[in-house]
């Protein structure tokens, strides 16, 4: 397991040494450095308590719990510079509670954090469940700054009651500020793959205000496959 280092001045040898760290070793190092008065970036393993993100279970209860846990971690560590790390396996996501248009949200005021996995062939986020007939995006960036995702695969499974004009996107980077004052900028993604979906795999949309400095690198787009969809006319 490697530490997420979006941008680094470390040498290749130093990065290789970092890649040998386990989460436990990284946390112990963070604790020792903190005791010494050295500030470090938090490394948060979302498979551990209190988050308990579970892979390999598509049941509604587990998908809803995964969704809540990831969103709570994002808001909890929203401005700390934390790296939130998901386990290996298929991690199912429901629509977030409250009739909202997303599963995972990097929202207003969130800054300087990222969400990563063990690699696009190892950690798969699967948007799966019953929609409400409107927009439903797997990951939404909206009025946040310097945030990103990496080392993940995103796709949709079975979407019941999707948006009828297929506005169910996997990655949506937007700015929905109604008064035009919000800022969505310095958003990054790397080592990502995208699978089947009922909308756009990647959507960039400045709604009432612009989005700025979006950096996406090393992407694989595999749009083949069928998402089962169902709605009443």
């Amino acid at each position: 397991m490697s530490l997420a280092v979006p941008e680094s001045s470390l040498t290749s040898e130093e990065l290789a040494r970092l890649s040998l760290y386990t989460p436990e070793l990284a946390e112990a190092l963070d604790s020792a450095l903190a005791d010494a008065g050295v500030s470090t970036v938090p490394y948060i393993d979302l498979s551990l308590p209190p988050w308990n993100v579970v892979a390999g279970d598509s049941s509604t209860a587990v998908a809803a719990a995964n969704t809540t846990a990831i969103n709570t971690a994002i808001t909890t560590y929203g401005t700390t510079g934390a790296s939130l790390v998901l386990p290996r396996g298929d991690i199912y996501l429901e629509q977030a509670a409250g009739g909202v248009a997303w599963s995972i949200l990097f929202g207003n005021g969130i800054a300087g954090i990222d969400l990563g996995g063990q690699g696009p062939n190892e950690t798969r986020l699967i948007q799966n469940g019953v929609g409400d007939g409107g927009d439903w995006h797997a990951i939404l960036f909206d009025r946040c700054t310097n945030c990103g995702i990496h080392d993940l695969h995103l796709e949709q499974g079975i979407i019941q009651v999707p948006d009828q004009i297929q506005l169910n996107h996997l990655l949506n980077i937007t700015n929905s500020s109604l008064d035009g004052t919000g800022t969505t900028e310095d958003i990054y993604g790397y080592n990502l793959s995208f699978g089947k979906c009922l909308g756009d795999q990647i959507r960039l949309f400045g709604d009432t205000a612009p989005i700025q400095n979006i950096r996406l690198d090393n992407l694989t787009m595999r749009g083949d496959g069928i998402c089962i969809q169902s709605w009443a006319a």
Side-chain angles (χ1 to χ4, degrees):
M1 182 176 293
S2 61
L3 294 177
V5 185
E7 296 180 6
S8 175
S9 60
L10 297 177
T11 67
S12 58
E13 181 180 355
E14 289 169 330
L15 287 172
R17 289 175 180 171
L18 280 177
S19 70
L20 300 176
Y21 284 11
T22 64
E24 293 77 15
L25 179 57
E27 290 170 2
L29 179 59
D30 281 347
S31 177
L33 290 173
D35 290 342
V38 178
S39 176
T40 61
V41 174
Y43 175 94
I44 310 301
D45 186 341
L46 295 182
S47 69
L48 299 177
W51 316 109
N52 300 315
V53 171
V54 174
D57 190 334
S58 63
S59 67
T60 299
V62 169
N66 287 342
T67 303
T68 298
I70 296 170
N71 283 311
T72 302
I74 289 172
T75 56
T76 299
Y77 293 96
T79 58
T80 64
S83 182
L84 310 177
V85 183
L86 293 164
R88 286 178 171 84
D90 293 349
I91 299 171
Y92 288 85
L93 303 173
E94 268 281 357
Q95 189 169 14
V100 297
W102 38 266
S103 290
I104 297 174
L105 172 67
F106 290 79
N108 191 16
I110 301 298
I113 69 171
D114 63 45
L115 177 68
Q118 310 304 313
N121 294 321
E122 300 291 336
T123 302
R124 293 156 41 95
L125 291 179
I126 302 178
Q127 180 185 357
N128 191 78
V130 181
D132 56 14
D135 296 15
W136 174 15
H137 318 304
I139 299 181
L140 174 64
F141 289 88
D142 185 6
R143 293 170 291 164
C144 55
T145 59
N146 192 27
C147 294
I149 57 173
H150 59 90
D151 297 299
L152 293 168
H153 173 82
L154 281 74
E155 71 173 52
Q156 291 170 357
I158 298 175
I159 304 295
Q160 300 183 49
V161 198
D163 185 90
Q164 296 191 31
I165 57 174
Q166 297 187 342
L167 294 178
N168 300 125
H169 311 308
L170 290 174
L171 174 59
N172 189 11
I173 303 173
T174 189
N175 189 335
S176 64
S177 174
L178 296 178
D179 60 6
T181 61
T183 300
T184 302
E185 63 182 358
D186 297 323
I187 307 302
Y188 58 88
Y190 61 92
N191 293 345
L192 301 171
S193 65
F194 296 84
K196 56 192 175 71
C197 65
L198 290 172
D200 299 330
Q201 292 172 312
I202 300 174
R203 183 181 190 242
L204 307 179
F205 181 51
D207 192 352
T208 58
I211 58 177
Q212 305 177 72
N213 194 20
I214 311 302
R215 295 164 290 151
L216 301 173
D217 183 50
N218 194 19
L219 309 178
T220 301
M221 318 295 285
R222 297 189 180 98
D224 58 319
I226 297 175
C227 299
I228 298 175
Q229 54 181 317
S230 171
W231 67 74

